[in-house]
Amino acid sequence: MSRIPLRRLEVLVTVVEKGSFRACAEALDLSPAAVSNQIQQLEQELRACLFVRHRGRVCGLTDYGKKAFTEAKAFLGHADKFTAEMAPAPARELL
């Protein structure tokens, strides 16, 4: 499996937290189509459905989607913590 871009995980977490693809798109300044594309790519990379769909509409998360959301949220939290703790580097440590 290839590495999944952080942006894709951010889109997943934002869709779940905001409750819709449209609200996610507004929050991340993306088009709804771009959000949908990111989720489709993530599902392809994971080879699993993350959302329950009914008549083309997202109705909730699958069990796998719930786990993916939990892990993605934790991972993004670690990435944010890393960024906060490591930047900016003191001038004496720059190469």
Side-chain angles (χ1 to χ4, degrees):
M1 181 185 308
S2 63
R3 289 191 180 173
I4 296 170
L6 290 178
R7 183 63 162 180
R8 228 165 262 152
L9 299 180
E10 182 182 25
V11 168
L12 170 64
V13 168
T14 306
V15 166
V16 174
E17 289 180 342
K18 297 291 184 182
S20 73
F21 282 37
R22 183 178 308 270
C24 171
E26 290 173 9
L28 297 179
D29 197 28
L30 297 170
S31 69
V35 170
S36 181
N37 187 25
Q38 289 289 316
I39 294 299
Q40 287 175 354
Q41 288 179 6
L42 183 58
E43 288 179 324
Q44 288 173 358
E45 289 168 336
L46 297 174
R47 297 181 186 161
C49 290
L50 300 174
F51 292 91
V52 175
R53 293 171 174 87
H54 180 70
R55 296 184 182 184
R57 297 192 54 95
V58 172
C59 300
L61 289 169
T62 63
D63 288 341
Y64 190 87
K66 290 174 187 173
K67 180 169 178 53
F69 166 72
T70 300
E71 294 297 326
K73 186 166 181 163
F75 187 83
L76 291 171
H78 291 301
D80 289 343
K81 182 180 177 190
F82 175 83
T83 301
E85 290 182 6
M86 300 308 294
R92 67 184 178 283
E93 294 180 18
L94 294 177
L95 298 176

